[in-house]
């Protein structure tokens, strides 16, 4: 199958939608004349009006320092069930009046660059909410799509080196929309509207892909549009074997680029080689790589110099961007298809205007404050050197074994003032429970040293593994 065949398929699918008069469109709503002029200017000058800084500032600490009420802390310490109601209990209110809280250093979040507390991003949201309110007034396809959303999409498309981009309510919704839209190609091009077995889309999915990818594939499968093949985690020999034996013409490979639980990278170079060999559509979920990897923050594909080999790049604005929302960077034709067939996009309210404004500011800040990327990778090197644990990213998965061991270690760290979560079933298989540590550009060298000291008191680094659990013991799609 030639590389260009997917381009032809999506073009034909869009033509079918247009002929049936069900091709959906985005109609940007202008906020005000002054606003339009400002946004056009911002797009032209690369966001020069946004203030950036050349090093850590006082406010950066709030992205890695949190406080919890004493009742919450006690329940957490004893692993007691909670739905959050204790925060308004009499004891909690009494303790808060006395100013008594448990302060914790956060090593379990996804705010990799520390942008959630950046004043430039906060001010962008505040200015938008004061001038226009929260919005939006509906879904993006009705009246919730504004010039702020378009500006954000343009900036993300440029970052990912793609023709266009579609902003979605969440990263989860973005993956769901992408998988369902990919599957819809089969039904749109089928003569009867229901694809025969050899007309379906063959989706090859890494065994450890995120739940949002899995759920999107399940929905596409339920619609009768796809057949699913799960390959062993990052096992290119297994993937090659599955691809070579598959007789279906339309093939898709989907993978996390940086895996959220194990902290390892997808073998991007090998995936690119296989794409050239088999002509499949390559889709990556770059949720944990966007803004963190690559010289410009373009993500894992930029880091491995294979951006041209990625057809659809899904991402989130809720991790390194410190905001909220998701996106799909792709071609214009793919965008038309997804916005017409991606159910989780179509039937969701658009992200609020202030969030779109903040996210655009985050794209600008993340691009310009390159020292943040240097800082987080310095923390990775320091953790590796101090602990002796082999790691390759800011996501550090310390596998300790059974659930009780993981909970004991997490409790010890909690008492020592560190917010580090024990990850246990069903998130991970039994006997592969772990501590998931994440690093941030807002952490200091001293923070990492203190964490290593605390970890050394509750873990034996020599007997703690970051080796990835064999994928065959994970539940299949």
């Amino acid at each position: 199958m030639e590389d260009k065949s997917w381009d032809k398929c999506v073009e034909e699918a869009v033509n079918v939608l247009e002929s049936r008069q069900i091709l959906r469109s985005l109609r940007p709503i202008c906020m005000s004349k002054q606003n339009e002029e400002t946004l056009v200017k911002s797009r032209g000058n690369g966001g020069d009006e946004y203030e950036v800084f050349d090093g850590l500032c006082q406010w950066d600490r709030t992205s890695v320092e949190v406080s919890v009420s004493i009742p919450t802390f006690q329940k957490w310490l004893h692993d007691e069930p909670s739905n959050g109601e204790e925060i308004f209990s009499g004891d909690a209110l009494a303790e808060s009046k006395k100013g008594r809280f448990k302060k914790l250093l956060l090593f379990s979040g996804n705010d990799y660059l520390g942008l959630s507390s950046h004043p430039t991003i906060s001010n962008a949201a505040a200015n938008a909410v004061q001038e226009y309110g929260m919005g939006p007034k509906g879904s993006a396809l009705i009246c919730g799509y504004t010039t702020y959303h378009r500006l954000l999409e343009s900036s993300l498309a440029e970052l990912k080196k793609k023709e266009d981009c579609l902003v979605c309510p969440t990263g989860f919704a973005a993956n769901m929309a992408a998988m369902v839209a990919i599957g819809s190609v089969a039904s749109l091009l089928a003569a009867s509207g229901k694809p025969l077995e050899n007309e379906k889309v063959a989706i090859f999915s890494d065994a450890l892909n995120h739940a949002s990818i899995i759920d999107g594939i399940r929905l596409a499968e339920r619609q009768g549009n796809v057949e699913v093949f799960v390959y062993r985690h990052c096992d290119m020999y297994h993937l090659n074997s599955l691809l070579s034996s598959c007789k279906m013409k339309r093939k898709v490979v989907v993978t996390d680029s940086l895996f959220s639980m194990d902290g390892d990278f997808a073998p991007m170079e090998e995936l690119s080689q296989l794409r050239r060999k088999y002509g499949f559509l390559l889709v990556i979920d770059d949720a944990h790589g966007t803004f963190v990897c690559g010289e410009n923050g373009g993500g894992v594909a930029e880091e491995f110099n294979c951006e041209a080999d990625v057809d659809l790049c899904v991402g989130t604005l809720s991790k390194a961007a410190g905001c909220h929302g998701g996106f799909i960077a792709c071609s214009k034709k793919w965008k038309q298809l997804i916005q017409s067939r991606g159910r989780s996009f179509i039937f969701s309210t658009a992200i609020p205007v202030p969030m779109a404004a903040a996210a655009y500011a985050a794209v600008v800040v993340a691009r310009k404050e390159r020292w943040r990327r240097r800082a987080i990778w310095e923390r990775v090197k320091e953790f590796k050197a101090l602990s002796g644990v082999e790691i390759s990213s800011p996501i550090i998965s310390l596998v300790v074994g059974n659930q009780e061991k993981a909970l004991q270690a997490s409790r010890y760290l909690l008492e020592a003032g560190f917010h580090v979560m024990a990850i246990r079933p069903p998130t991970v298989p039994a006997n592969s429970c772990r501590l998931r540590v994440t690093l941030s550009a807002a952490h200091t060298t001293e923070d990492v040293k203190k964490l290593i000291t605390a970890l050394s008191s509750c873990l034996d680094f020599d007997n703690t593994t970051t080796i990835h659990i064999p994928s065959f013991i994970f539940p299949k799609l």
Side-chain angles (χ1 to χ4, degrees), residues 81-97:
S82 169
N83 60 10
E85 81 283 0
E86 73 273 2
I87 191 68
F88 293 126
S89 68
D91 290 344
L93 294 174
E95 294 292 346
S96 64
K97 286 181 179 179

Side-chain angles (χ1 to χ4, degrees), residues 425-437:
T427 307
V428 294
N431 295 318
S432 71
C433 297
R434 64 196 68 185
L435 296 179
R436 181 181 181 272
V437 174

